[in-house]
């Protein structure tokens, strides 16, 4: 099947038109020999009283059925023969006999005039569907139009009871904050243009860090580093230069480590490392940052991670023709100590070689450092990389743990620093060949395969209280991610949040409809409450809450939307939660 998303200027040889049922009337006849045309909305066949037909190189289907299937309201004024279609903030007006439509008050010329035929209003499908925020794809072989409706225009607090957390979430690329402690408090919108990407809350919950791009996509413009207060006020840009990689909060204070790039260098890094210490804003300021350069431009920093004591940062420097691959620890005054030297300088300028260490993850006690070894080829790295652990108290070679996708969030240390949970499995699709593993560092690096036949695992997260248990996503292994054929369905239907107890017992924590999928487990510090993201389609879902001590699941906030990432890996995350601590 040949299937792709069509742009406004694509497929000019085949235009789509639609009809609206305004009363009972005979069926519009199709041309002789015409193949049946199918129309689906969000994966479900659209049942039409008037079968789609081609007339004058145009496909005709029912407007009312299409508009209502896209969650729009349709009003017909017989006096003026005008159809008004409303979907959220979008308003479309179609007038019988006119080839000019109104889209939110702006005139748009149509290739085919709308007209009433046998008590039905006919109008261009592509214009109507895309005007209502939908996406249209066409299979010429199947003679099938696939329409994906627009995600919700904004988040909605479904449950008005209080819950002990502050929530940051995204909707259509915009950032919102919800104060769960305030019963019924509505989501507060932080950004209203461009696209925002959540990084996370500061350790004290006072600030939220995010990346912002001026254009409404992840690739055309560079990201800039911003912070905003927990109440939604005081948003400010931290650095005038765009950033590279993922900035990180200090574990102890309102300080951010990050790297930058020059604004005129698309996707080119400055190779530096900076530290921004935020003003708490108590004096009436907006949280301006004091910036220190820890490593200057052209230092060639590949990745970094705060040491748990907050006094130093591990820095990865890539292999080049003068230097081997290095991991150094640099303190906040710029003093550096080598932790790992891997390989030799690439003096012969090999084309394929182990270039850098990425995804650095410290154990809580600062003894172990887990990381991925990235090759020089981006294509090779996308299919899987080596996973290693460095023991700072033991000399010798790092421990090899196998291979997996190089996501930092797929490396998770237990709170007592004895075990590393990680996802093993090569191949860039998250829907196949991904299994949960455990490495026990106390027993010399004993490795346990915790996977299950026919299942895929992702996103391991530890509980914070003894006996330490492990939460993760698990769902039925499916087909490879093709970038389109799954839309708009969730990529791992029936995926749930699972728990592996300290003794090895495994059970599912969540349950739900077979066409939904659960992601992003967030466990409260006391271990009594689980928050998670339930998707009802690939690009939208709800934040849900499950009391683990008894009680039913609650839908807290609907209308979360986000990017699914390459090959369905769902990164970056769509939400970040700061759990309020107990008063004691």
């Amino acid at each position: 099947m040949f299937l792709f998303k069509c742009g406004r200027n694509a497929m000019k040889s085949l235009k789509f038109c639609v009809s609206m049922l305004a009363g009972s009337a005979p069926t519009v006849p199709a041309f002789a020999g015409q193949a049946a045309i199918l129309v689906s909305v969000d994966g479900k066949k659209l049942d039409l009283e008037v079968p789609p037909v081609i007339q004058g190189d145009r496909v005709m289907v029912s407007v009312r059925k299409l508009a209502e299937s896209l969650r729009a309201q349709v009003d017909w004024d017989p006096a003026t023969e005008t159809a008004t279609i409303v979907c959220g903030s979008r308003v479309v007006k179609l007038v019988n006999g006119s080839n000019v439509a109104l889209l939110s008050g702006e005139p748009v010329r149509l290739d085919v005039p709308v007209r009433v035929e046998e008590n039905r209003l006919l109008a261009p499908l592509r214009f109507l569907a895309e005007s209502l925020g939908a996406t249209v794809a066409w299979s010429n072989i199947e003679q099938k139009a696939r329409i994906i409706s627009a995600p919700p225009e904004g988040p909605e607090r479904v449950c008005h009871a209080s819950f002990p957390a502050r929530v940051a979430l995204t909707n259509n690329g915009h950032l919102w904050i919800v104060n769960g402690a305030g019963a019924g408090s509505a989501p507060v919108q932080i950004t209203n243009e461009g696209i925002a990407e959540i990084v996370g809350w500061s350790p004290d919950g006072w600030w939220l860090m995010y990346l912002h791009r001026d254009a409404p996509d992840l690739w055309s413009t560079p990201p800039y580093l911003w912070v905003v207060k927990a109440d939604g006020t005081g948003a400010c840009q931290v650095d005038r230069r765009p950033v590279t990689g993922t900035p990180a909060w200090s574990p102890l204070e309102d300080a951010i480590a990050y790297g930058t790039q020059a604004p005129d260098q698309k996707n080119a890094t400055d190779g530096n490392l900076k530290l921004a210490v935020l003003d708490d804003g108590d004096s009436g300021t907006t949280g301006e940052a004091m910036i220190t350069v820890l490593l200057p431009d052209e230092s060639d920093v590949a990745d970094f991670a705060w040491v748990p004591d907050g006094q130093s940062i591990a820095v990865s420097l890539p292999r080049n023709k003068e230097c081997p691959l290095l991991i150094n620890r640099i303190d906040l005054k710029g003093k550096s100590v080598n932790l790992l030297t891997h390989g030799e300088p690439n003096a012969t300028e090999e084309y394929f070689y182990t270039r850098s260490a990425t995804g650095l993850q410290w154990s809580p006690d600062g003894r172990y450092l887990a990381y991925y070894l990235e090759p020089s080829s981006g294509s090779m790295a996308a299919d899987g990389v080596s996973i290693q652990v460095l023991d700072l108290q033991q000399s010798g070679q790092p421990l090899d743990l196998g291979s997996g996708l190089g996501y930092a969030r797929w490396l998770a240390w237990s709170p007592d620093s004895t075990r590393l949970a990680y996802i093993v499995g090569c191949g860039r699709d998250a829907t196949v060949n991904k299994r949960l593993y455990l490495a026990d560092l106390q027993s010399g690096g004993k490795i346990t395969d915790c996977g299950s036949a026919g299942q895929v695992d992702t996103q391991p997260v530890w509980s914070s209280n003894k006996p330490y248990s492990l939460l993760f996503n698990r769902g039925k292994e499916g087909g490879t991610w093709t970038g389109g054929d799954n839309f708009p369905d969730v990529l791992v239907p029936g995926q749930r949040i699972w728990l592996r107890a300290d003794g090895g017992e495994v059970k599912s924590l969540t349950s739900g409809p077979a066409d939904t999928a659960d992601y992003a487990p967030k466990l409260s510090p006391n271990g009594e409450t689980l928050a998670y993201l339930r998707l009802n389609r690939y690009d939208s879902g709800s934040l849900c809450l499950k009391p683990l001590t008894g009680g039913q699941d609650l839908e807290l906030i609907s209308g979360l939307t986000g990017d699914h990432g390459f090959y369905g890996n769902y990164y970056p995350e769509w939400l970040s939660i700061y759990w309020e601590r107990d008063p004691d």
Side-chain angles (χ1 to χ4, degrees):
M1 178 182 70
F2 180 60
L3 182 65
F4 56 93
K5 292 183 179 179
C6 301
R8 292 181 183 272
N9 297 322
M11 301 291 292
K12 287 187 176 180
S13 62
L14 181 62
K15 303 294 182 182
F16 290 78
C17 299
V18 299
S19 72
M20 180 182 69
L21 179 62
S24 129
T27 299
V28 179
F31 290 133
Q34 176 186 309
I37 297 172
L38 301 178
V39 178
S40 67
V41 176
D42 291 341
K44 297 180 181 179
K45 180 182 176 182
L46 189 61
D47 293 325
L48 301 165
E49 296 87 347
V50 181
V53 296
I54 296 178
Q55 291 181 335
D57 293 330
R58 304 293 187 267
V59 177
M60 318 294 285
V61 295
S62 172
V63 167
R64 181 175 293 278
K65 281 286 187 178
L66 175 62
E68 291 179 347
S69 71
L70 296 174
R71 301 187 299 275
Q73 294 181 336
V74 181
D75 179 69
W76 173 253
D77 183 354
T80 61
E81 296 189 305
T82 300
T84 302
I85 302 127
V86 180
C87 185
S89 62
R90 305 177 179 97
V91 180
V92 181
K93 286 185 177 291
L94 304 171
V95 180
N96 179 31
S98 175
N99 66 346
V100 176
L102 292 179
L103 175 57
S104 297
E106 295 295 326
V108 178
R109 182 168 294 276
L110 307 176
D111 292 331
V112 178
V114 299
R115 70 183 190 277
V116 171
E117 182 175 322
E118 298 293 341
N119 289 333
R120 289 161 172 81
L121 186 69
L122 310 180
L125 178 148
R126 183 173 297 281
F127 165 77
L128 180 59
E130 293 184 349
S131 296
L132 299 179
T135 301
V136 181
W138 169 255
S139 170
N140 196 44
I141 295 176
E142 293 182 313
Q143 291 287 285
K144 182 176 181 179
R146 299 178 68 186
I147 302 171
I148 302 172
S149 64
E153 287 190 353
E156 178 183 353
R157 185 160 179 175
V158 178
C159 176
H160 296 285
S162 63
F163 57 96
R166 303 171 192 168
V167 180
L169 58 92
T170 57
N171 172 275
N172 291 306
H174 303 317
L175 177 65
W176 299 70
I177 291 178
V178 180
N179 177 17
S185 59
V188 176
Q189 187 168 1
I190 307 303
T191 63
N192 55 21
E193 59 183 14
I195 188 168
E197 178 182 334
I198 298 170
V199 180
W201 294 98
S202 60
D204 59 7
W206 182 257
W207 294 100
L208 175 70
M209 175 167 43
Y210 63 99
L211 304 180
H212 188 265
R213 301 171 191 263
D214 294 333
D217 63 73
L218 290 173
W219 313 112
S220 60
T221 56
Y224 290 85
L225 178 59
W226 284 71
V227 293
V228 63
K229 292 180 183 178
D231 61 1
T233 65
C236 66
Q237 185 175 325
V238 175
D239 196 299
R240 290 180 296 176
R241 288 187 178 186
V243 299
T244 59
T246 303
W249 286 109
S250 163
L252 298 182
E253 60 179 342
D254 293 338
I256 303 169
Y258 65 101
T260 61
Q261 61 176 325
D264 57 348
Q265 293 178 307
K266 186 175 182 180
N267 298 325
T269 68
D270 290 335
N272 57 28
L273 180 64
K274 296 181 177 180
L275 179 68
V277 179
L278 301 180
D279 185 332
D280 61 13
D282 285 344
S283 60
T285 65
T286 58
E288 295 180 355
M290 181 177 68
I291 297 175
T292 302
V293 177
L294 297 178
L295 291 175
D297 292 356
E298 301 183 3
S299 294
D300 209 15
V301 174
D303 202 359
F304 58 87
W306 284 93
V307 180
D309 63 8
Q311 303 303 311
S312 57
I313 301 172
V315 178
S316 168
L317 303 175
R319 180 185 179 196
N320 55 40
K321 61 183 179 181
E322 286 89 20
C323 297
L325 185 159
L326 301 174
I327 299 179
N328 295 336
R329 180 163 58 193
I330 179 172
D331 66 23
L332 303 187
K333 295 181 179 180
K335 183 179 179 181
S336 180
V337 176
N338 178 249
L339 302 179
L340 174 71
T341 299
H342 180 88
E344 301 291 336
N346 188 25
T348 60
E349 298 188 10
E350 304 169 59
Y351 187 73
F352 294 114
Y353 58 94
T354 301
R355 181 179 182 272
S356 62
T358 62
L360 311 180
Q361 291 289 316
W362 285 98
S363 62
D365 64 0
R367 174 175 175 174
Y368 303 104
L369 180 63
Y371 53 89
Y372 299 102
L373 287 178
E374 297 272 3
S376 56
S377 165
S379 179
M380 291 175 63
D383 284 314
V385 295
S386 296
I387 308 170
Q388 291 190 342
V389 170
L390 178 66
D391 185 350
L392 273 65
Q393 295 183 12
Q394 298 286 340
S395 60
Q397 294 297 316
L399 176 65
D400 288 308
L401 300 181
S403 298
L405 297 182
Y407 295 113
R409 292 188 181 96
W410 287 10
L411 301 173
W413 286 101
S414 61
D416 61 0
S417 301
T418 62
R419 289 169 290 176
L420 176 70
Y422 60 104
I423 304 299
V424 168
C426 293
R428 58 192 67 182
D429 299 284
T431 53
V432 293
N433 188 34
K434 302 296 176 288
R435 297 171 68 93
L436 176 67
Y437 273 63
L438 278 180
D440 190 334
L441 281 301
Q442 269 194 336
S443 62
K446 178 184 176 182
I447 295 175
T448 302
D449 180 356
C450 303
S452 178
Q455 306 290 307
V456 288
D457 305 326
T458 54
Q459 296 180 326
V461 177
W462 289 91
S463 66
S464 56
N465 295 326
K466 292 183 178 180
Y468 302 120
S469 55
L470 181 64
L471 283 71
F472 58 96
N473 305 333
R474 172 166 287 174
K476 185 178 179 181
E477 190 173 31
T480 57
W481 167 245
T482 63
D485 286 348
N486 300 76
F487 293 168
D489 300 331
V490 297
L491 303 182
V492 187
Q495 177 174 278
R496 302 295 166 225
I497 309 299
W498 287 67
L499 180 142
R500 187 181 192 275
D502 189 52
E505 302 85 359
V506 177
K507 65 177 181 179
S508 175
L509 293 181
T510 63
S511 61
D515 59 351
T516 64
D518 298 340
Y519 283 87
K522 313 286 185 182
L523 192 62
S524 63
N526 60 15
E528 295 180 356
T529 306
L530 170 67
Y532 62 94
L533 174 64
R534 168 155 293 173
L535 301 185
N536 50 39
R537 48 184 270 172
Y538 78 98
D539 62 352
S540 61
S542 298
L543 174 64
C544 297
L545 204 67
K546 181 181 182 63
L548 298 183
T549 55
Q552 296 186 350
D553 292 22
L554 296 174
E555 182 184 17
L556 296 178
I557 305 168
S558 65
L560 278 71
T561 73
D563 182 73
H564 49 75
F566 281 126
Y567 305 102
N569 291 312
Y570 284 91
Y571 286 97
E573 291 191 331
W574 304 2
L575 65 108
S576 181
I577 294 179
Y578 179 82
W579 293 98
E580 300 288 357
R581 269 56 175 180
D582 293 331
D584 56 354

